[in-house]
Amino acid sequence: MAKLIGGLGTSHVPSIAAAIDKGLAGTDAWKPFFDGYVPAKEWIARAKPDIAVVIFNDHGNSFFLDRVPTFAVGCAEEYRPVDEGWGPRPIPPFEGAADFSWHLIDTLVDNRFDPMICQEIEVDHGLQVPMELFFGRPEAWPVRVVPIFVNVIQYPIPLPSRCYEMGRVLRQAIESWPGDERVVVIGTGGLSHQLQGSRAGFVNPEADRAFLKDIATDPDRLAAMSRERYVEMFGSEGAELMMWLVMRGAMDRDVVVRHTHYFVPASMTGAGMIVMENAATAEAVGPGAPSPGPEAPATDPEARAA
């Protein structure tokens, strides 16, 4: 059967893509952020996954507010970068794991999830940025992808507990897949940020740091929180953090944390990352003990990257 080798979480801030494209990764404003991902890239290089399941939200590019599925799963042979207003970015298309996608969809339906099925769809920075942060900018991506879209934009959004439950079904699909692929699951979004309304510019570093700890040690508490509590703690757009629960639900209760990283603000967002392995099957692909990774200090809001 296929093997789940790790659960990864990361922000997908669009300005990260702009920093990469403009060659700004080594500048004073951005270097501390990108340096924090070096251990995660090294982990990926050692782990050599075959499939990356990426949980993210579309940002009004392939879906818009007139038709927003609560959950959607891609089963295409290829996913091209969508034009987000400045032309498609110069990155290679993503090869799909269509065979596994259909198996996942069937497993979800068997477990009373009814996702939209997308046989053709383009993907925005919600998927592009996490892939670049973990895999760099290769000529061709070394993994096939399975995109899972979650509606965290248009209310009513799903319950955190429902996202957590979806992760358990994803684990069931991985373990019942007859192939021998090595699978990583990547939850994306957040951390705290709000881009509109009276709290525009809101970030909550204390809550962000607690989330990075609790996603490993106390995911049940995070899954039990209300949607309103996510918005209160992390901002209206910070509700994206519920998508990390799909990833976490696919993992065992006990995990080994290989790396974490936190940087604030990346644009107007608290940005974070975590790499976890199941404690029962942790492989010799990183330090034997949990590694906190480098943490960048908070930067002056006036000096942050746009």
Side-chain angles (χ1 to χ4, degrees):
M1 66 182 183
K3 182 178 182 181
L4 175 64
I5 61 171
L8 287 60
T10 184
S11 304
H12 61 216
V13 184
S15 59
I16 296 169
I20 295 171
D21 291 347
K22 295 178 181 179
L24 302 177
T27 63
D28 291 343
W30 280 106
K31 190 175 187 301
F33 170 81
F34 285 103
D35 282 353
Y37 279 82
V38 171
K41 286 183 177 179
E42 292 173 346
W43 183 91
I44 284 285
R46 290 189 295 266
K48 293 181 172 59
D50 302 298
I51 294 175
V53 180
V54 186
I55 303 101
F56 67 108
N57 61 294
D58 179 77
H59 298 79
N61 294 296
S62 292
F63 299 120
F64 199 61
L65 300 183
D66 57 343
R67 49 180 66 87
V68 184
T70 302
F71 299 109
V73 178
C75 55
E77 296 291 342
E78 182 180 80
Y79 305 94
R80 303 193 72 82
V82 71
D83 183 352
E84 298 191 52
W86 300 272
R89 297 179 58 231
I91 61 175
F94 301 91
E95 181 184 356
D99 47 0
F100 176 74
S101 289
W102 282 110
H103 172 71
L104 170 60
I105 291 165
D106 191 50
T107 307
L108 287 167
V109 173
D110 272 348
N111 286 271
R112 295 179 174 81
F113 281 88
D114 299 293
M116 174 182 277
I117 300 169
C118 302
Q119 297 187 67
E120 292 184 11
I121 195 164
E122 295 176 314
V123 293
D124 69 8
H125 68 268
L127 183 143
Q128 295 173 31
V129 166
M131 290 294 290
E132 290 176 283
L133 288 172
F134 290 123
F135 293 93
R137 179 72 71 85
E139 292 186 6
W141 301 103
V143 293
R144 296 185 294 153
V145 303
V146 175
I148 297 178
F149 300 80
V150 179
N151 170 34
V152 290
I153 300 292
Q154 175 84 320
Y155 277 77
I157 61 179
L159 294 172
S161 58
R162 187 64 168 160
C163 293
Y164 197 42
E165 182 183 356
M166 188 182 204
R168 294 192 178 100
V169 179
L170 170 59
R171 175 69 174 273
Q172 180 181 331
I174 292 170
E175 293 189 337
S176 60
W177 178 242
D180 59 358
E181 290 91 342
R182 295 164 61 82
V183 182
V184 292
V185 180
I186 305 175
T188 80
L191 282 59
S192 64
H193 63 301
Q194 180 153 329
L195 305 180
Q196 38 66 42
S198 61
R199 291 204 303 170
F202 169 83
V203 293
N204 190 345
E206 182 179 357
D208 288 343
R209 292 185 175 97
F211 180 87
L212 285 171
K213 176 178 177 292
D214 290 345
I215 195 67
T217 62
D218 197 4
D220 294 332
R221 186 184 74 82
L222 297 177
M225 285 169 49
S226 69
R227 296 169 293 180
E228 292 79 9
R229 185 60 174 154
Y230 271 84
V231 172
E232 178 185 358
M233 291 179 63
F234 301 106
S236 53
E237 282 73 32
E240 291 176 343
L241 281 171
M242 293 187 301
M243 295 187 292
W244 291 43
L245 289 169
V246 181
M247 172 273 291
R248 189 61 181 89
M251 302 289 290
D252 289 351
R253 182 60 182 81
D254 296 324
V255 296
V256 173
V257 177
R258 294 301 191 186
H259 307 290
T260 63
H261 176 50
Y262 183 67
F263 179 90
V264 60
S267 189
M268 296 171 63
T269 307
M273 175 271 289
I274 194 166
V275 176
M276 296 177 288
E277 297 174 30
N278 290 324
T281 56
E283 300 185 359
V285 296
S291 170
E295 179 175 303
T299 56
D300 189 307
E302 296 300 322
R304 66 175 175 242

